[in-house]
Amino acid sequence: MSGIKDIAAAAGVSVSTVSNVLNNKPNVGAVTRSQVLKLCQEMNYVSKAASGKYQSGRNRTILFNFSDFDRCFYLKVIEGINDYAGDNGYDLLTCTTRTCEKYLHNGLTDGCIILDSRMGNDIIRRAARNGYPLVLLDRILPDSNIKSLVVNNYEVMTELMEGLVKRGYRNFAFVGGPEYLGDTRERFQAYTDVLTTHGLSHLKENYFSGDYQEGNGYQALTILLLGGKLPEILVCANDNMAAGVIRALEERGYRVPEDVAVTGFDNSERSEALGLTTVAVPNYERGYLAARTLIENINGKNNFEPQRISASVRWRKTVEDDHFSKII
């Protein structure tokens, strides 16, 4: 484990400068501050005070890393994490990726729950190699000290698609999230597999890649209209994009679901107000379970097998119960 003198020598600055950075003093330039913090992470520096707290088990702080693009989405997850952590004598520190990396080591926090695709796998693996426990909610990394706890996207999207085909829908479009995300890939795979099983075609022009923002759903519907032909139903990879699709349809005088049906994913508070058919992810429960798993691993349980969480379909008014009767 490196000391403060080692950090100073590697950075080419004085020991007092490193001390000022670690104590968040304002008299250090941004470039130097960034360099020192990066070296502390790379060299696994832990202050003597923090190291003593960790070794004695008195630090008792866990970290939650989340994206800042849609903070409302994370509230239930945070509530679940905080309830379990608080009940078991742990404090909770939350941050976004821009500020998270410097806290990912023993002494500052005891472990971290990550739900932000922008946190790079290399950073996660480096922290894990140093014996730092992590729980991932957005990907699977089969490495030591890493527990993956992810939604069973494929299974529940299959359930949704089978229900739509059973109700008589035959002409589909898909509005997805970023293609590099496992969630998007699994949801789209289930979508195409069900279409193939029932002998239904998937048209390339009916696939849109977005970023889970409402504006992407609005844009997807606008592009479909420029092509001159709307599908019977748009399957959206989250509720935000579904809301954008609905807004674009209603602004142009289309009725949902009579003219075009829409589905989402997440079961956000807004989805209930819209009457949106969607997939309910148990966010409070997965936050609670993530905190429990992390703290158990901090205490030596070493449970690092990937685990999938079940979700369920919520059928609401943006999908017709018997669309089949309209097309025969």
Side-chain angles (χ1 to χ4, degrees), residues 45-300:
Y45 168 76
V46 181
S47 69
K48 290 182 179 179
S51 179
K53 287 170 64 179
Y54 182 77
Q55 295 298 330
S56 64
R58 292 193 299 269
N59 190 49
R60 305 188 73 83
T61 300
I62 62 173
L63 183 65
F64 177 52
N65 164 229
F66 65 101
S67 170
D68 57 2
F69 85 88
D70 184 8
R71 298 191 178 193
C72 291
F73 171 80
Y74 300 97
L75 292 179
K76 285 294 183 181
V77 178
I78 293 173
E79 185 181 350
I81 295 171
N82 192 56
D83 281 357
Y84 187 86
D87 288 346
N88 288 272
Y90 278 77
D91 294 323
L92 174 63
L93 178 65
T94 64
C95 65
T96 58
T97 294
R98 286 177 294 180
T99 59
C100 184
E101 184 177 352
K102 63 183 179 182
Y103 297 109
L104 287 176
H105 59 81
N106 298 335
L108 294 179
T109 57
D110 295 339
C112 182
I113 299 166
I114 294 177
L115 182 53
D116 187 353
S117 61
R118 297 174 305 172
M119 175 62 76
N121 289 344
D122 56 335
I123 297 172
I124 294 170
R125 286 180 166 130
R126 183 164 63 240
R129 283 196 300 269
N130 291 326
Y132 183 81
L134 299 114
V135 173
L136 309 184
L137 298 181
D138 62 352
R139 74 197 87 173
I140 293 178
L141 289 180
D143 292 52
S144 297
N145 296 313
I146 299 175
K147 172 75 173 184
S148 294
L149 190 65
V150 296
V151 175
N152 196 337
N153 292 284
Y154 185 90
E155 182 178 89
V156 73
M157 182 59 86
T158 297
E159 179 187 345
L160 173 66
M161 288 295 297
E162 289 287 356
L164 294 173
V165 172
K166 183 177 180 180
R167 285 164 171 77
Y169 290 97
R170 297 293 181 268
N171 184 3
F172 290 77
F174 185 84
V175 184
E179 295 178 351
Y180 64 87
L181 294 181
D183 285 348
T184 297
R185 294 195 301 270
E186 290 178 0
R187 293 169 195 178
F188 182 63
Q189 187 64 57
Y191 168 88
T192 55
D193 284 353
V194 171
L195 293 182
T196 300
T197 296
H198 291 278
L200 302 174
S201 60
H202 167 63
L203 304 176
K204 289 184 178 179
E205 57 267 30
N206 281 2
Y207 174 84
F208 302 89
S209 178
D211 64 1
Y212 288 142
Q213 300 290 329
E214 181 176 335
N216 293 135
Y218 190 96
Q219 291 168 358
L221 193 282
T222 302
I223 292 169
L224 277 169
L225 286 171
L226 290 175
K229 187 175 181 180
L230 285 176
E232 295 172 336
I233 183 165
L234 284 94
V235 177
C236 302
N238 83 334
D239 292 345
N240 283 340
M241 294 188 297
V245 166
I246 291 171
R247 178 164 60 90
L249 286 167
E250 291 179 343
E251 284 181 3
R252 292 161 174 81
Y254 290 95
R255 301 167 300 162
V256 178
E258 292 84 358
D259 299 320
V260 183
V262 182
T263 68
F265 201 109
D266 289 330
N267 197 35
S268 64
E269 290 185 8
R270 189 177 183 188
S271 72
E272 189 167 358
L274 289 170
L276 177 66
T277 290
T278 187
V279 169
V281 177
N283 281 322
Y284 174 89
E285 290 79 6
R286 71 168 170 161
Y288 190 93
L289 182 57
R292 186 179 74 184
T293 303
L294 179 62
I295 290 172
E296 286 176 347
N297 284 341
I298 289 169
N299 292 327

